[in-house]
Amino acid sequence: MLISGYSESSSFNPSYRQSEPGPNGQDRLSALFSGTPSRRIQTKDHVFCEGDMLRHVYRVEAGLICTYRMMPDGRRQVMGFAFPGDIVGLGTGSDHNTSAQAIRPTRLRCLPFAVLCEAMRNDAELTATLYEALAEELRNARELLLSVCHRSAAERVAAFLSALAQRNERRGLDSSNIDLGMTRTDIADFLGLTIETVSRTFTKFRITGLIDIAQCTAIRIVDRSGLERLAAGNISRND
Amino acid sequence: MLISGYSESSSFNPSYRQSEPGPNGQDRLSALFSGTPSRRIQTKDHVFCEGDMLRHVYRVEAGLICTYRMMPDGRRQVMGFAFPGDIVGLGTGSDHNTSAQAIRPTRLRCLPFAVLCEAMRNDAELTATLYEALAEELRNARELLLSVCHRSAAERVAAFLSALAQRNERRGLDSSNIDLGMTRTDIADFLGLTIETVSRTFTKFRITGLIDIAQCTAIRIVDRSGLERLAAGNISRND
DNA sequence: CGGAAAATTGATAGGCGTCAAAACTCGTGG
DNA sequence: CCACGAGTTTTGACGCCTATCAATTTTCCG
């Protein structure tokens, strides 16, 4: 399972750009962002809402953003979490089709969409990079769909924790001690479960020795391979 | 709910291309396809498989394609159905991340990916069109995620039938008499249900007067607004 | 310290998956 | 034209997983 839908550096793979190994689109995107003003927002503040006109594209500098959509009946589907380095707001039409909300104090850089469009018009490399970022989004959305549709609660939570561990690993952080940074509600809405089920599953993992829970939001992974086997569906559901 | 993940003409909305109303990228894409050879495949034949190298992009001329991914445990998630006019195979990295299989005799046009890339490198309009097609994919994947995660079986099936009716309507076809063209298994794997549940739901809809089932694959919609209310979740689940 | 929000734990019920069998569809060949 | 058989669909019985409702405990800040 992938956690963040948005362009994470390590996942770029602009395959259809076969030649021209020179300065790549990612660098150019970084360059675009580096000149922009930064903005600080508090926990629960919205970056944008579903239906808002698309004016800016954002890059998370610090903090944590979650993107979500609401159902007519008031339920919420979290689409992904954007960690520092991730880009939020790409790939919509003229309007945002998700809402984006900070779930802890966050610093963002804001790139006007018009500037990005103008740059894309003159820079095929940059366009290719954004195209790939979007393709990555799509892969993540499909991955999430698979996770949520065809997995038990335990498998979903295990996959979620594994993904966080992998993420920390890629970033050179501690892959055993995970700071969730989000509430049970956020996790539940991401995994298509209820907070009670998420909580019970955490407890079960603690009892079976897969994890340790120091505080609600600080998880220590004790048996990583066990967690990954469970996530992959290789363990009976009544474990 | 949207049925086909892929670029359907009516859904294009290249918002970030603000100027240049001239010949648009869609026309250019059509032009690219019109020179390609066409290929006929039979029901159950694969167009490509998950993990295959990305060599071609396809446009469905006639028939019906379904794209899907497999879970490690053998379960299948249908990602979408591609009807005539839809494009299949976009937006992956260097490999396909879904499989695509004909579920009835189908005719395709095959555009070599290298040709498309070359064209994109020289044609910002075309690139913009493909970018939008990808964004549309992403919207559809998210829509499907919402459908599948937070809706009851009846709501999902109702949404599915409504979407088919809307699709027929947009195409100027009969919006009441729907030819599914797919098996219960395909529908079940798309909606994240079992074939038994799909079948039972169809039966319940027939009994409650929402639909008529002439043959397994030929559905007549009797109470369209009822179906749409149900799809929207506005009716109690024990209806 | 105090109060609100979040998390945990428990009891219960119901929807949907699973297993099983019967009915139906449709293409093939006699 | 009818019969046959494989594949698909329908129907039924049953049980499990998870949502729901409810109460308590813990966490987090002011």
Side-chain angles (χ1 to χ4, degrees), chain B residues 1 3 83 157-180 211 219-225 227-228:
Chain B
M1 183 191 304
I3 295 163
F83 293 83
V157 174
F160 180 69
L161 291 174
S162 293
L164 283 172
Q166 278 171 31
R167 183 180 182 93
N168 272 7
E169 208 162 54
R170 278 202 308 270
R171 308 223 146 196
L173 304 173
D174 185 342
S175 66
S176 293
N177 291 293
I178 294 180
D179 177 24
L180 291 180
I211 62 172
I219 306 286
R220 192 165 66 82
I221 293 181
V222 176
D223 179 3
R224 170 111 179 246
S225 75
L227 215 50
E228 280 168 358

PDB file of all heavy atoms in Angstrom, chain B residues 1 3 83 157-180 211 219-225 227-228:
ATOM      1  N   MET B   1     -20.844   7.012 -10.129  1.00  0.00           N
ATOM      2  CA  MET B   1     -19.780   6.072 -10.490  1.00  0.00           C
ATOM      3  C   MET B   1     -19.488   6.131 -11.970  1.00  0.00           C
ATOM      4  O   MET B   1     -20.380   6.243 -12.791  1.00  0.00           O
ATOM      5  CB  MET B   1     -20.219   4.656 -10.139  1.00  0.00           C
ATOM      6  CG  MET B   1     -19.132   3.644 -10.414  1.00  0.00           C
ATOM      7  SD  MET B   1     -19.762   1.989 -10.310  1.00  0.00           S
ATOM      8  CE  MET B   1     -20.439   2.019  -8.676  1.00  0.00           C
ATOM      9  N   ILE B   3     -17.632   4.285 -15.229  1.00  0.00           N
ATOM     10  CA  ILE B   3     -17.410   2.896 -15.590  1.00  0.00           C
ATOM     11  C   ILE B   3     -16.073   2.703 -16.248  1.00  0.00           C
ATOM     12  O   ILE B   3     -15.324   1.805 -15.921  1.00  0.00           O
ATOM     13  CB  ILE B   3     -18.511   2.444 -16.548  1.00  0.00           C
ATOM     14  CG1 ILE B   3     -19.827   2.482 -15.822  1.00  0.00           C
ATOM     15  CG2 ILE B   3     -18.210   1.057 -17.064  1.00  0.00           C
ATOM     16  CD1 ILE B   3     -20.979   2.446 -16.727  1.00  0.00           C
ATOM     17  N   PHE B  83     -15.035   0.964 -23.478  1.00  0.00           N
ATOM     18  CA  PHE B  83     -16.004   0.824 -24.562  1.00  0.00           C
ATOM     19  C   PHE B  83     -15.418   1.444 -25.832  1.00  0.00           C
ATOM     20  O   PHE B  83     -14.377   2.110 -25.782  1.00  0.00           O
ATOM     21  CB  PHE B  83     -17.299   1.531 -24.173  1.00  0.00           C
ATOM     22  CG  PHE B  83     -18.026   0.890 -23.034  1.00  0.00           C
ATOM     23  CD1 PHE B  83     -17.680   1.162 -21.720  1.00  0.00           C
ATOM     24  CD2 PHE B  83     -19.064   0.008 -23.274  1.00  0.00           C
ATOM     25  CE1 PHE B  83     -18.352   0.564 -20.658  1.00  0.00           C
ATOM     26  CE2 PHE B  83     -19.749  -0.587 -22.229  1.00  0.00           C
ATOM     27  CZ  PHE B  83     -19.398  -0.309 -20.919  1.00  0.00           C
ATOM     28  N   VAL B 157     -24.520  -1.573  -6.883  1.00  0.00           N
ATOM     29  CA  VAL B 157     -25.125  -2.090  -8.112  1.00  0.00           C
ATOM     30  C   VAL B 157     -26.006  -1.015  -8.747  1.00  0.00           C
ATOM     31  O   VAL B 157     -25.993  -0.829  -9.975  1.00  0.00           O
ATOM     32  CB  VAL B 157     -25.933  -3.374  -7.822  1.00  0.00           C
ATOM     33  CG1 VAL B 157     -26.686  -3.821  -9.058  1.00  0.00           C
ATOM     34  CG2 VAL B 157     -25.015  -4.478  -7.340  1.00  0.00           C
ATOM     35  N   ALA B 158     -26.745  -0.294  -7.912  1.00  0.00           N
ATOM     36  CA  ALA B 158     -27.597   0.779  -8.441  1.00  0.00           C
ATOM     37  C   ALA B 158     -26.745   1.840  -9.131  1.00  0.00           C
ATOM     38  O   ALA B 158     -27.082   2.323 -10.217  1.00  0.00           O
ATOM     39  CB  ALA B 158     -28.420   1.403  -7.306  1.00  0.00           C
ATOM     40  N   ALA B 159     -25.630   2.185  -8.518  1.00  0.00           N
ATOM     41  CA  ALA B 159     -24.743   3.186  -9.106  1.00  0.00           C
ATOM     42  C   ALA B 159     -24.180   2.684 -10.430  1.00  0.00           C
ATOM     43  O   ALA B 159     -24.060   3.441 -11.408  1.00  0.00           O
ATOM     44  CB  ALA B 159     -23.604   3.518  -8.144  1.00  0.00           C
ATOM     45  N   PHE B 160     -23.874   1.439 -10.464  1.00  0.00           N
ATOM     46  CA  PHE B 160     -23.324   0.834 -11.678  1.00  0.00           C
ATOM     47  C   PHE B 160     -24.337   0.905 -12.816  1.00  0.00           C
ATOM     48  O   PHE B 160     -24.011   1.344 -13.933  1.00  0.00           O
ATOM     49  CB  PHE B 160     -22.947  -0.615 -11.384  1.00  0.00           C
ATOM     50  CG  PHE B 160     -22.360  -1.347 -12.548  1.00  0.00           C
ATOM     51  CD1 PHE B 160     -21.109  -1.017 -13.035  1.00  0.00           C
ATOM     52  CD2 PHE B 160     -23.064  -2.378 -13.153  1.00  0.00           C
ATOM     53  CE1 PHE B 160     -20.562  -1.705 -14.112  1.00  0.00           C
ATOM     54  CE2 PHE B 160     -22.525  -3.075 -14.225  1.00  0.00           C
ATOM     55  CZ  PHE B 160     -21.271  -2.732 -14.707  1.00  0.00           C
ATOM     56  N   LEU B 161     -25.566   0.512 -12.526  1.00  0.00           N
ATOM     57  CA  LEU B 161     -26.600   0.536 -13.568  1.00  0.00           C
ATOM     58  C   LEU B 161     -26.899   1.968 -13.999  1.00  0.00           C
ATOM     59  O   LEU B 161     -27.067   2.254 -15.192  1.00  0.00           O
ATOM     60  CB  LEU B 161     -27.874  -0.151 -13.061  1.00  0.00           C
ATOM     61  CG  LEU B 161     -27.753  -1.660 -12.869  1.00  0.00           C
ATOM     62  CD1 LEU B 161     -29.015  -2.221 -12.230  1.00  0.00           C
ATOM     63  CD2 LEU B 161     -27.480  -2.361 -14.200  1.00  0.00           C
ATOM     64  N   SER B 162     -26.938   2.879 -13.035  1.00  0.00           N
ATOM     65  CA  SER B 162     -27.174   4.287 -13.378  1.00  0.00           C
ATOM     66  C   SER B 162     -26.091   4.804 -14.307  1.00  0.00           C
ATOM     67  O   SER B 162     -26.370   5.511 -15.280  1.00  0.00           O
ATOM     68  CB  SER B 162     -27.190   5.147 -12.114  1.00  0.00           C
ATOM     69  OG  SER B 162     -28.299   4.820 -11.312  1.00  0.00           O
ATOM     70  N   ALA B 163     -24.853   4.422 -13.996  1.00  0.00           N
ATOM     71  CA  ALA B 163     -23.744   4.895 -14.813  1.00  0.00           C
ATOM     72  C   ALA B 163     -23.856   4.359 -16.242  1.00  0.00           C
ATOM     73  O   ALA B 163     -23.595   5.082 -17.206  1.00  0.00           O
ATOM     74  CB  ALA B 163     -22.410   4.469 -14.179  1.00  0.00           C
ATOM     75  N   LEU B 164     -24.268   3.123 -16.365  1.00  0.00           N
ATOM     76  CA  LEU B 164     -24.445   2.550 -17.700  1.00  0.00           C
ATOM     77  C   LEU B 164     -25.560   3.267 -18.454  1.00  0.00           C
ATOM     78  O   LEU B 164     -25.452   3.535 -19.655  1.00  0.00           O
ATOM     79  CB  LEU B 164     -24.760   1.053 -17.599  1.00  0.00           C
ATOM     80  CG  LEU B 164     -23.564   0.138 -17.306  1.00  0.00           C
ATOM     81  CD1 LEU B 164     -24.033  -1.276 -17.030  1.00  0.00           C
ATOM     82  CD2 LEU B 164     -22.578   0.141 -18.467  1.00  0.00           C
ATOM     83  N   ALA B 165     -26.630   3.569 -17.742  1.00  0.00           N
ATOM     84  CA  ALA B 165     -27.746   4.280 -18.378  1.00  0.00           C
ATOM     85  C   ALA B 165     -27.286   5.661 -18.843  1.00  0.00           C
ATOM     86  O   ALA B 165     -27.570   6.084 -19.977  1.00  0.00           O
ATOM     87  CB  ALA B 165     -28.917   4.403 -17.394  1.00  0.00           C
ATOM     88  N   GLN B 166     -26.535   6.342 -17.966  1.00  0.00           N
ATOM     89  CA  GLN B 166     -26.029   7.671 -18.339  1.00  0.00           C
ATOM     90  C   GLN B 166     -25.109   7.590 -19.543  1.00  0.00           C
ATOM     91  O   GLN B 166     -25.128   8.445 -20.426  1.00  0.00           O
ATOM     92  CB  GLN B 166     -25.263   8.286 -17.172  1.00  0.00           C
ATOM     93  CG  GLN B 166     -26.166   8.936 -16.142  1.00  0.00           C
ATOM     94  CD  GLN B 166     -25.402   9.333 -14.891  1.00  0.00           C
ATOM     95  OE1 GLN B 166     -24.222   9.668 -14.951  1.00  0.00           O
ATOM     96  NE2 GLN B 166     -26.082   9.294 -13.764  1.00  0.00           N
ATOM     97  N   ARG B 167     -24.320   6.554 -19.554  1.00  0.00           N
ATOM     98  CA  ARG B 167     -23.391   6.376 -20.654  1.00  0.00           C
ATOM     99  C   ARG B 167     -24.136   6.210 -21.971  1.00  0.00           C
ATOM    100  O   ARG B 167     -23.801   6.848 -22.976  1.00  0.00           O
ATOM    101  CB  ARG B 167     -22.529   5.146 -20.399  1.00  0.00           C
ATOM    102  CG  ARG B 167     -21.523   4.955 -21.456  1.00  0.00           C
ATOM    103  CD  ARG B 167     -20.648   3.770 -21.272  1.00  0.00           C
ATOM    104  NE  ARG B 167     -19.714   3.774 -22.366  1.00  0.00           N
ATOM    105  CZ  ARG B 167     -18.518   4.322 -22.312  1.00  0.00           C
ATOM    106  NH1 ARG B 167     -18.095   4.858 -21.206  1.00  0.00           N
ATOM    107  NH2 ARG B 167     -17.754   4.348 -23.366  1.00  0.00           N
ATOM    108  N   ASN B 168     -25.138   5.347 -21.941  1.00  0.00           N
ATOM    109  CA  ASN B 168     -25.953   5.159 -23.151  1.00  0.00           C
ATOM    110  C   ASN B 168     -26.575   6.469 -23.597  1.00  0.00           C
ATOM    111  O   ASN B 168     -26.619   6.783 -24.778  1.00  0.00           O
ATOM    112  CB  ASN B 168     -27.050   4.124 -22.892  1.00  0.00           C
ATOM    113  CG  ASN B 168     -26.570   2.706 -23.169  1.00  0.00           C
ATOM    114  OD1 ASN B 168     -25.391   2.483 -23.422  1.00  0.00           O
ATOM    115  ND2 ASN B 168     -27.475   1.750 -23.118  1.00  0.00           N
ATOM    116  N   GLU B 169     -27.060   7.212 -22.618  1.00  0.00           N
ATOM    117  CA  GLU B 169     -27.707   8.489 -22.900  1.00  0.00           C
ATOM    118  C   GLU B 169     -26.749   9.438 -23.624  1.00  0.00           C
ATOM    119  O   GLU B 169     -27.096  10.035 -24.640  1.00  0.00           O
ATOM    120  CB  GLU B 169     -28.155   9.111 -21.585  1.00  0.00           C
ATOM    121  CG  GLU B 169     -29.358  10.020 -21.689  1.00  0.00           C
ATOM    122  CD  GLU B 169     -29.959  10.205 -20.312  1.00  0.00           C
ATOM    123  OE1 GLU B 169     -29.220  10.609 -19.384  1.00  0.00           O
ATOM    124  OE2 GLU B 169     -31.160   9.929 -20.161  1.00  0.00           O
ATOM    125  N   ARG B 170     -25.553   9.553 -23.071  1.00  0.00           N
ATOM    126  CA  ARG B 170     -24.557  10.444 -23.675  1.00  0.00           C
ATOM    127  C   ARG B 170     -24.239  10.040 -25.100  1.00  0.00           C
ATOM    128  O   ARG B 170     -23.914  10.879 -25.934  1.00  0.00           O
ATOM    129  CB  ARG B 170     -23.259  10.412 -22.861  1.00  0.00           C
ATOM    130  CG  ARG B 170     -23.277  11.291 -21.645  1.00  0.00           C
ATOM    131  CD  ARG B 170     -21.848  11.627 -21.215  1.00  0.00           C
ATOM    132  NE  ARG B 170     -21.021  10.442 -21.058  1.00  0.00           N
ATOM    133  CZ  ARG B 170     -20.894   9.749 -19.929  1.00  0.00           C
ATOM    134  NH1 ARG B 170     -21.558  10.122 -18.863  1.00  0.00           N
ATOM    135  NH2 ARG B 170     -20.110   8.692 -19.868  1.00  0.00           N
ATOM    136  N   ARG B 171     -24.334   8.765 -25.358  1.00  0.00           N
ATOM    137  CA  ARG B 171     -23.974   8.266 -26.683  1.00  0.00           C
ATOM    138  C   ARG B 171     -25.165   8.238 -27.627  1.00  0.00           C
ATOM    139  O   ARG B 171     -25.076   7.708 -28.741  1.00  0.00           O
ATOM    140  CB  ARG B 171     -23.430   6.855 -26.575  1.00  0.00           C
ATOM    141  CG  ARG B 171     -22.322   6.743 -25.562  1.00  0.00           C
ATOM    142  CD  ARG B 171     -21.217   5.908 -26.094  1.00  0.00           C
ATOM    143  NE  ARG B 171     -19.957   6.394 -25.594  1.00  0.00           N
ATOM    144  CZ  ARG B 171     -18.791   6.068 -26.107  1.00  0.00           C
ATOM    145  NH1 ARG B 171     -18.736   5.266 -27.146  1.00  0.00           N
ATOM    146  NH2 ARG B 171     -17.687   6.553 -25.605  1.00  0.00           N
ATOM    147  N   GLY B 172     -26.287   8.719 -27.126  1.00  0.00           N
ATOM    148  CA  GLY B 172     -27.472   8.733 -27.979  1.00  0.00           C
ATOM    149  C   GLY B 172     -28.108   7.369 -28.151  1.00  0.00           C
ATOM    150  O   GLY B 172     -28.899   7.140 -29.061  1.00  0.00           O
ATOM    151  N   LEU B 173     -27.790   6.438 -27.241  1.00  0.00           N
ATOM    152  CA  LEU B 173     -28.398   5.102 -27.310  1.00  0.00           C
ATOM    153  C   LEU B 173     -29.594   5.036 -26.369  1.00  0.00           C
ATOM    154  O   LEU B 173     -29.878   5.981 -25.642  1.00  0.00           O
ATOM    155  CB  LEU B 173     -27.362   4.043 -26.916  1.00  0.00           C
ATOM    156  CG  LEU B 173     -26.067   4.047 -27.729  1.00  0.00           C
ATOM    157  CD1 LEU B 173     -25.065   3.066 -27.139  1.00  0.00           C
ATOM    158  CD2 LEU B 173     -26.349   3.725 -29.188  1.00  0.00           C
ATOM    159  N   ASP B 174     -30.234   3.915 -26.381  1.00  0.00           N
ATOM    160  CA  ASP B 174     -31.389   3.709 -25.515  1.00  0.00           C
ATOM    161  C   ASP B 174     -30.915   3.634 -24.067  1.00  0.00           C
ATOM    162  O   ASP B 174     -30.126   2.769 -23.700  1.00  0.00           O
ATOM    163  CB  ASP B 174     -32.078   2.394 -25.916  1.00  0.00           C
ATOM    164  CG  ASP B 174     -33.355   2.173 -25.133  1.00  0.00           C
ATOM    165  OD1 ASP B 174     -33.544   2.815 -24.086  1.00  0.00           O
ATOM    166  OD2 ASP B 174     -34.180   1.372 -25.589  1.00  0.00           O
ATOM    167  N   SER B 175     -31.399   4.546 -23.237  1.00  0.00           N
ATOM    168  CA  SER B 175     -30.910   4.580 -21.861  1.00  0.00           C
ATOM    169  C   SER B 175     -31.723   3.675 -20.942  1.00  0.00           C
ATOM    170  O   SER B 175     -31.390   3.531 -19.766  1.00  0.00           O
ATOM    171  CB  SER B 175     -30.922   6.011 -21.326  1.00  0.00           C
ATOM    172  OG  SER B 175     -32.244   6.472 -21.224  1.00  0.00           O
ATOM    173  N   SER B 176     -32.789   3.074 -21.460  1.00  0.00           N
ATOM    174  CA  SER B 176     -33.582   2.183 -20.618  1.00  0.00           C
ATOM    175  C   SER B 176     -33.183   0.725 -20.784  1.00  0.00           C
ATOM    176  O   SER B 176     -33.154  -0.042 -19.824  1.00  0.00           O
ATOM    177  CB  SER B 176     -35.065   2.329 -20.950  1.00  0.00           C
ATOM    178  OG  SER B 176     -35.514   3.608 -20.572  1.00  0.00           O
ATOM    179  N   ASN B 177     -32.897   0.347 -22.025  1.00  0.00           N
ATOM    180  CA  ASN B 177     -32.518  -1.034 -22.278  1.00  0.00           C
ATOM    181  C   ASN B 177     -31.008  -1.142 -22.368  1.00  0.00           C
ATOM    182  O   ASN B 177     -30.389  -0.642 -23.301  1.00  0.00           O
ATOM    183  CB  ASN B 177     -33.163  -1.533 -23.559  1.00  0.00           C
ATOM    184  CG  ASN B 177     -34.671  -1.663 -23.394  1.00  0.00           C
ATOM    185  OD1 ASN B 177     -35.135  -2.511 -22.632  1.00  0.00           O
ATOM    186  ND2 ASN B 177     -35.422  -0.797 -24.046  1.00  0.00           N
ATOM    187  N   ILE B 178     -30.469  -1.803 -21.391  1.00  0.00           N
ATOM    188  CA  ILE B 178     -29.023  -1.857 -21.270  1.00  0.00           C
ATOM    189  C   ILE B 178     -28.517  -3.252 -21.566  1.00  0.00           C
ATOM    190  O   ILE B 178     -29.011  -4.231 -21.008  1.00  0.00           O
ATOM    191  CB  ILE B 178     -28.600  -1.427 -19.855  1.00  0.00           C
ATOM    192  CG1 ILE B 178     -28.938   0.043 -19.680  1.00  0.00           C
ATOM    193  CG2 ILE B 178     -27.124  -1.676 -19.617  1.00  0.00           C
ATOM    194  CD1 ILE B 178     -28.583   0.590 -18.346  1.00  0.00           C
ATOM    195  N   ASP B 179     -27.571  -3.306 -22.457  1.00  0.00           N
ATOM    196  CA  ASP B 179     -26.896  -4.567 -22.721  1.00  0.00           C
ATOM    197  C   ASP B 179     -25.599  -4.572 -21.938  1.00  0.00           C
ATOM    198  O   ASP B 179     -24.665  -3.849 -22.260  1.00  0.00           O
ATOM    199  CB  ASP B 179     -26.614  -4.704 -24.225  1.00  0.00           C
ATOM    200  CG  ASP B 179     -25.851  -5.976 -24.523  1.00  0.00           C
ATOM    201  OD1 ASP B 179     -25.947  -6.916 -23.710  1.00  0.00           O
ATOM    202  OD2 ASP B 179     -25.161  -6.021 -25.559  1.00  0.00           O
ATOM    203  N   LEU B 180     -25.568  -5.360 -20.886  1.00  0.00           N
ATOM    204  CA  LEU B 180     -24.404  -5.348 -20.000  1.00  0.00           C
ATOM    205  C   LEU B 180     -23.137  -5.732 -20.754  1.00  0.00           C
ATOM    206  O   LEU B 180     -22.117  -5.071 -20.649  1.00  0.00           O
ATOM    207  CB  LEU B 180     -24.619  -6.310 -18.825  1.00  0.00           C
ATOM    208  CG  LEU B 180     -25.677  -5.917 -17.811  1.00  0.00           C
ATOM    209  CD1 LEU B 180     -25.774  -6.955 -16.722  1.00  0.00           C
ATOM    210  CD2 LEU B 180     -25.353  -4.556 -17.216  1.00  0.00           C
ATOM    211  N   ILE B 211     -35.977  -2.775 -11.917  1.00  0.00           N
ATOM    212  CA  ILE B 211     -35.502  -3.214 -13.226  1.00  0.00           C
ATOM    213  C   ILE B 211     -36.278  -4.436 -13.705  1.00  0.00           C
ATOM    214  O   ILE B 211     -37.068  -5.015 -12.957  1.00  0.00           O
ATOM    215  CB  ILE B 211     -33.998  -3.600 -13.192  1.00  0.00           C
ATOM    216  CG1 ILE B 211     -33.761  -4.777 -12.250  1.00  0.00           C
ATOM    217  CG2 ILE B 211     -33.148  -2.414 -12.787  1.00  0.00           C
ATOM    218  CD1 ILE B 211     -32.372  -5.356 -12.292  1.00  0.00           C
ATOM    219  N   ILE B 219     -30.712  -5.841 -19.452  1.00  0.00           N
ATOM    220  CA  ILE B 219     -31.446  -5.252 -18.333  1.00  0.00           C
ATOM    221  C   ILE B 219     -32.294  -4.095 -18.836  1.00  0.00           C
ATOM    222  O   ILE B 219     -31.825  -3.259 -19.610  1.00  0.00           O
ATOM    223  CB  ILE B 219     -30.455  -4.700 -17.285  1.00  0.00           C
ATOM    224  CG1 ILE B 219     -29.466  -5.778 -16.853  1.00  0.00           C
ATOM    225  CG2 ILE B 219     -31.181  -4.108 -16.105  1.00  0.00           C
ATOM    226  CD1 ILE B 219     -30.006  -6.817 -15.955  1.00  0.00           C
ATOM    227  N   ARG B 220     -33.541  -4.061 -18.393  1.00  0.00           N
ATOM    228  CA  ARG B 220     -34.358  -2.893 -18.705  1.00  0.00           C
ATOM    229  C   ARG B 220     -34.588  -2.114 -17.416  1.00  0.00           C
ATOM    230  O   ARG B 220     -35.007  -2.684 -16.407  1.00  0.00           O
ATOM    231  CB  ARG B 220     -35.705  -3.307 -19.292  1.00  0.00           C
ATOM    232  CG  ARG B 220     -36.481  -2.134 -19.902  1.00  0.00           C
ATOM    233  CD  ARG B 220     -37.620  -2.626 -20.773  1.00  0.00           C
ATOM    234  NE  ARG B 220     -38.616  -3.305 -19.949  1.00  0.00           N
ATOM    235  CZ  ARG B 220     -39.564  -2.674 -19.247  1.00  0.00           C
ATOM    236  NH1 ARG B 220     -39.643  -1.367 -19.279  1.00  0.00           N
ATOM    237  NH2 ARG B 220     -40.419  -3.355 -18.523  1.00  0.00           N
ATOM    238  N   ILE B 221     -34.288  -0.845 -17.464  1.00  0.00           N
ATOM    239  CA  ILE B 221     -34.464  -0.017 -16.278  1.00  0.00           C
ATOM    240  C   ILE B 221     -35.891   0.499 -16.233  1.00  0.00           C
ATOM    241  O   ILE B 221     -36.348   1.182 -17.147  1.00  0.00           O
ATOM    242  CB  ILE B 221     -33.461   1.148 -16.274  1.00  0.00           C
ATOM    243  CG1 ILE B 221     -32.050   0.583 -16.106  1.00  0.00           C
ATOM    244  CG2 ILE B 221     -33.775   2.126 -15.160  1.00  0.00           C
ATOM    245  CD1 ILE B 221     -30.968   1.617 -16.068  1.00  0.00           C
ATOM    246  N   VAL B 222     -36.592   0.144 -15.184  1.00  0.00           N
ATOM    247  CA  VAL B 222     -38.005   0.515 -15.063  1.00  0.00           C
ATOM    248  C   VAL B 222     -38.144   1.813 -14.295  1.00  0.00           C
ATOM    249  O   VAL B 222     -38.861   2.720 -14.705  1.00  0.00           O
ATOM    250  CB  VAL B 222     -38.792  -0.611 -14.348  1.00  0.00           C
ATOM    251  CG1 VAL B 222     -40.235  -0.200 -14.140  1.00  0.00           C
ATOM    252  CG2 VAL B 222     -38.699  -1.915 -15.147  1.00  0.00           C
ATOM    253  N   ASP B 223     -37.472   1.897 -13.167  1.00  0.00           N
ATOM    254  CA  ASP B 223     -37.593   3.083 -12.313  1.00  0.00           C
ATOM    255  C   ASP B 223     -36.209   3.729 -12.157  1.00  0.00           C
ATOM    256  O   ASP B 223     -35.494   3.491 -11.192  1.00  0.00           O
ATOM    257  CB  ASP B 223     -38.136   2.653 -10.946  1.00  0.00           C
ATOM    258  CG  ASP B 223     -38.264   3.820  -9.979  1.00  0.00           C
ATOM    259  OD1 ASP B 223     -37.978   4.974 -10.390  1.00  0.00           O
ATOM    260  OD2 ASP B 223     -38.631   3.586  -8.816  1.00  0.00           O
ATOM    261  N   ARG B 224     -35.908   4.562 -13.140  1.00  0.00           N
ATOM    262  CA  ARG B 224     -34.571   5.136 -13.171  1.00  0.00           C
ATOM    263  C   ARG B 224     -34.297   6.042 -11.982  1.00  0.00           C
ATOM    264  O   ARG B 224     -33.234   5.986 -11.386  1.00  0.00           O
ATOM    265  CB  ARG B 224     -34.406   5.914 -14.485  1.00  0.00           C
ATOM    266  CG  ARG B 224     -33.178   6.759 -14.583  1.00  0.00           C
ATOM    267  CD  ARG B 224     -32.205   6.226 -15.588  1.00  0.00           C
ATOM    268  NE  ARG B 224     -31.031   7.060 -15.678  1.00  0.00           N
ATOM    269  CZ  ARG B 224     -30.689   7.768 -16.749  1.00  0.00           C
ATOM    270  NH1 ARG B 224     -31.428   7.716 -17.845  1.00  0.00           N
ATOM    271  NH2 ARG B 224     -29.590   8.489 -16.746  1.00  0.00           N
ATOM    272  N   SER B 225     -35.280   6.864 -11.637  1.00  0.00           N
ATOM    273  CA  SER B 225     -35.035   7.807 -10.545  1.00  0.00           C
ATOM    274  C   SER B 225     -34.903   7.059  -9.218  1.00  0.00           C
ATOM    275  O   SER B 225     -34.116   7.439  -8.352  1.00  0.00           O
ATOM    276  CB  SER B 225     -36.142   8.851 -10.480  1.00  0.00           C
ATOM    277  OG  SER B 225     -37.311   8.287  -9.929  1.00  0.00           O
ATOM    278  N   LEU B 227     -33.644   4.137  -8.893  1.00  0.00           N
ATOM    279  CA  LEU B 227     -32.302   3.576  -8.948  1.00  0.00           C
ATOM    280  C   LEU B 227     -31.269   4.634  -8.569  1.00  0.00           C
ATOM    281  O   LEU B 227     -30.321   4.368  -7.831  1.00  0.00           O
ATOM    282  CB  LEU B 227     -32.054   3.076 -10.369  1.00  0.00           C
ATOM    283  CG  LEU B 227     -31.211   1.828 -10.596  1.00  0.00           C
ATOM    284  CD1 LEU B 227     -31.664   0.676  -9.728  1.00  0.00           C
ATOM    285  CD2 LEU B 227     -31.270   1.443 -12.068  1.00  0.00           C
ATOM    286  N   GLU B 228     -31.481   5.833  -9.073  1.00  0.00           N
ATOM    287  CA  GLU B 228     -30.499   6.892  -8.803  1.00  0.00           C
ATOM    288  C   GLU B 228     -30.563   7.377  -7.361  1.00  0.00           C
ATOM    289  O   GLU B 228     -29.529   7.713  -6.784  1.00  0.00           O
ATOM    290  CB  GLU B 228     -30.683   8.041  -9.804  1.00  0.00           C
ATOM    291  CG  GLU B 228     -30.018   7.705 -11.130  1.00  0.00           C
ATOM    292  CD  GLU B 228     -30.390   8.654 -12.262  1.00  0.00           C
ATOM    293  OE1 GLU B 228     -31.206   9.576 -12.039  1.00  0.00           O
ATOM    294  OE2 GLU B 228     -29.857   8.446 -13.369  1.00  0.00           O
TER     295      GLU B 228
END
